Amino acid sequence: MKVLVPVKRVIDYNVRPRVKPDGSGVDLANIKMSMNPFDEIAVEEAIRLKEKGVATEIVAISVGPQKAQETLRTALAMGADRAILVQTDDTVEPLAVAKILKAIADEEQPGLVILGKQAIDDDSNQTGQMLAALMGRPQGTFASKVEVADNKATVTREVDGGLETVAIELPAIVTTDLRLNEPRYASLPNIMKAKSKPLANKTPADYGVDTAPRLETLKTVEPPKRTAGIKVADVDELVTKLKNMGVAA
Ligand code: AMP
């Protein structure tokens, strides 16, 4: 079974994003970029399926600029077998990414597509769901456990108030939640080996997908600055203060 793993290059999760002075977006100049953390979990899960003998080949895919090659090389160093870069300098919205992934899935015929539940830059949480709809295949989103047997995936999902387990027929789409696994670090020998693994260069046009934006960003602002805390003498004072702030009844 082949597994496709879409991986997005995003601002590193440790970096504090800076909003551009004109509010048109986030300043990406000289910022450390890394693989979206949920996608690292997706790559790890695919590798574990391969180690169990369930998956036979892992294909990492990224839609983004030339530099997204680095993200793909990271996936290859972790254990993916080959990679596809769909190169574009445009901002590609989830719908266009999902259309590109659908076209690749038509060519590659995977048993599973494992995506992150969300990209930490746009926080859309849409691509996996849109891909499932475009492919007309079942989805198990927010996965904290995935088991594959008898042409089915059993996916434990993190939902409000608990866990839900669903059985979905393959081919299927899975999106990863934080507790699914702990991604491995690539070892130095594997980083070296990854340099010679195949990486195909494509464009959205190769898949007939128009990436023109459908959304318009009106403005981007910094989160409000945190104000200083205050000390209270006792619980009564705390309750009075909270009541005055309209927090407690
Ligand atoms: P989003 O819907 O943007 O929150 O992204 C959800 C998931 O879709 C990510 O965790 C990735 O697995 C995948 N994805 C989104 N954008 C891209 C992209 N440009 N290239 C590759 N994968 C992507």
Side-chain angles (χ1 to χ4, degrees):
M1 178 182 78
K2 199 184 280 187
V3 182
L4 302 187
V5 188
V7 294
K8 187 175 187 187
R9 180 174 183 266
V10 297
I11 293 193
D12 187 272
Y13 71 96
N14 283 310
V15 172
R16 193 172 170 276
R18 282 189 319 260
V19 171
K20 288 185 194 164
D22 65 0
S24 64
V26 169
D27 191 356
L28 295 181
N30 304 317
I31 292 275
K32 181 173 182 221
M33 307 287 284
S34 300
M35 187 188 300
N36 182 44
F38 293 106
D39 304 353
E40 287 182 351
I41 296 172
V43 176
E44 175 66 35
E45 198 60 22
I47 298 167
R48 291 187 188 188
L49 288 172
K50 195 173 168 198
E51 287 169 345
K52 283 187 204 148
V54 176
T56 48
E57 190 185 24
I58 303 166
V59 185
I61 303 161
S62 197
V63 181
Q66 165 76 19
K67 286 225 161 187
Q69 268 204 15
E70 291 166 12
T71 313
L72 289 170
R73 290 283 172 213
T74 305
L76 294 170
M78 286 173 74
D81 296 290
R82 63 187 169 88
I84 303 172
L85 171 65
V86 184
Q87 196 177 325
T88 169
D89 288 327
D90 296 343
T91 303
V92 188
E93 292 170 359
L95 179 60
V97 175
K99 286 179 182 171
I100 291 169
L101 295 175
K102 155 83 167 73
I104 296 177
D106 286 347
E107 273 180 24
E108 300 277 351
Q109 297 292 312
L112 269 180
V113 185
I114 311 181
L115 305 90
K117 74 165 177 182
Q118 76 193 52
I120 61 165
D121 53 358
D122 60 23
D123 276 345
S124 294
N125 175 16
Q126 294 175 352
T127 310
Q129 293 87 332
M130 285 175 166
L131 176 64
L134 291 172
M135 288 174 66
R137 297 303 310 166
Q139 56 184 307
T141 51
F142 311 105
S144 63
K145 189 170 174 201
V146 177
E147 281 170 325
V148 179
D150 304 328
N151 205 40
K152 262 196 314 210
T154 307
V155 180
T156 305
R157 310 183 52 235
E158 298 206 354
V159 293
D160 278 353
L163 299 174
E164 176 190 55
T165 304
V166 293
I168 50 179
E169 219 176 83
L170 304 185
I173 288 81
V174 167
T175 73
T176 63
D177 215 320
L178 211 53
R179 278 157 288 271
L180 180 58
N181 61 49
E182 240 187 67
R184 69 196 63 192
Y185 288 105
S187 66
L188 193 58
N190 285 344
I191 294 174
M192 299 312 288
K193 260 195 247 163
K195 292 187 200 250
S196 52
K197 288 188 179 176
L199 193 158
N201 254 286
K202 300 280 186 182
T203 65
D206 291 335
Y207 298 107
V209 177
D210 156 25
T211 56
R214 267 67 170 174
L215 304 171
E216 182 192 354
T217 302
L218 299 180
K219 68 173 174 178
T220 311
V221 292
E222 299 269 356
K225 294 245 178 324
R226 280 184 68 174
T227 49
I230 48 168
K231 278 193 179 162
V232 290
D234 51 30
V235 173
D236 286 345
E237 194 191 340
L238 174 66
V239 172
T240 312
K241 283 236 173 348
L242 289 175
K243 275 188 181 158
N244 291 342
M245 289 161 66
V247 179

